[in-house]
Amino acid sequence: MSAKNPTFRVYSTKPLYPISSFKGNILYTSFMNVISKRTLVKFYEQHPQSKSALEVWHSDARKSVWSSPADIKKIYSSASFLTDNRVVFNIKGNDYRLIVHIDYLRKIIRVKFIGTYAEYDKINAKEI
């Protein structure tokens, strides 16, 4: 591979997304992938009043380009940041709490916990 004509491998499950970062000769795309929506769906089937708020959060998260906690704070000012790239979102005001782990480089959001405010108070958010 010459410096004037490098060969790049592009990894993306969604075509035409803007570029986020290079690492070596691998090009990473920028929009977020939420794992797993099924967890959110199971929750809002049990708590129907949370459905619209969770669907809006999911849609916003998938369309986002989050490279750091500062990017999240611009949109979700009430978000709390824990160790190990975990973020706590207040859903539907403060009725529900959503804890996710974010891999900023790979653009992956993993849902760790979704529950009511009372359920959230009973867990250790840093270890879940």
Side-chain angles (χ1 to χ4, degrees):
M1 179 176 357
S2 72
K4 290 184 178 182
N5 190 13
T7 303
F8 295 103
R9 292 177 284 163
V10 177
Y11 293 98
S12 176
T13 57
K14 303 167 192 167
L16 304 176
Y17 280 5
I19 298 169
S20 176
S21 63
F22 274 103
K23 185 172 184 179
N25 64 339
I26 298 174
L27 179 68
Y28 289 90
T29 58
S30 61
F31 290 119
M32 307 303 285
N33 183 21
V34 179
I35 303 172
S36 124
K37 184 175 182 179
R38 183 177 357 189
T39 304
L40 302 178
V41 170
K42 285 180 182 179
F43 182 80
Y44 69 60
E45 286 173 348
Q46 298 296 316
H47 302 272
Q49 63 278 21
S50 69
K51 182 177 180 176
S52 63
L54 284 171
E55 285 182 339
V56 167
W57 178 88
H58 182 264
S59 176
D60 288 350
R62 283 190 47 108
K63 295 175 189 172
S64 294
V65 181
W66 294 336
S67 298
S68 70
D71 295 334
I72 296 169
K73 205 64 165 170
K74 289 177 192 174
I75 300 166
Y76 294 98
S77 59
S78 65
S80 302
F81 299 92
L82 309 174
T83 58
D84 191 33
N85 290 327
R86 290 173 188 253
V87 184
V88 180
F89 293 95
N90 296 319
I91 303 294
K92 196 176 175 278
N94 210 12
D95 294 345
Y96 305 100
R97 294 286 177 97
L98 172 65
I99 302 173
V100 300
H101 174 267
I102 301 179
D103 183 334
Y104 292 102
L105 179 63
R106 291 181 182 90
K107 304 299 180 195
I108 297 171
I109 302 171
R110 290 179 186 86
V111 175
K112 295 297 201 174
F113 170 84
I114 177 70
T116 64
Y117 190 87
E119 292 168 336
Y120 173 82
D121 282 342
K122 295 176 184 176
I123 65 162
N124 184 343
K126 294 177 183 177
E127 294 179 4
I128 197 162

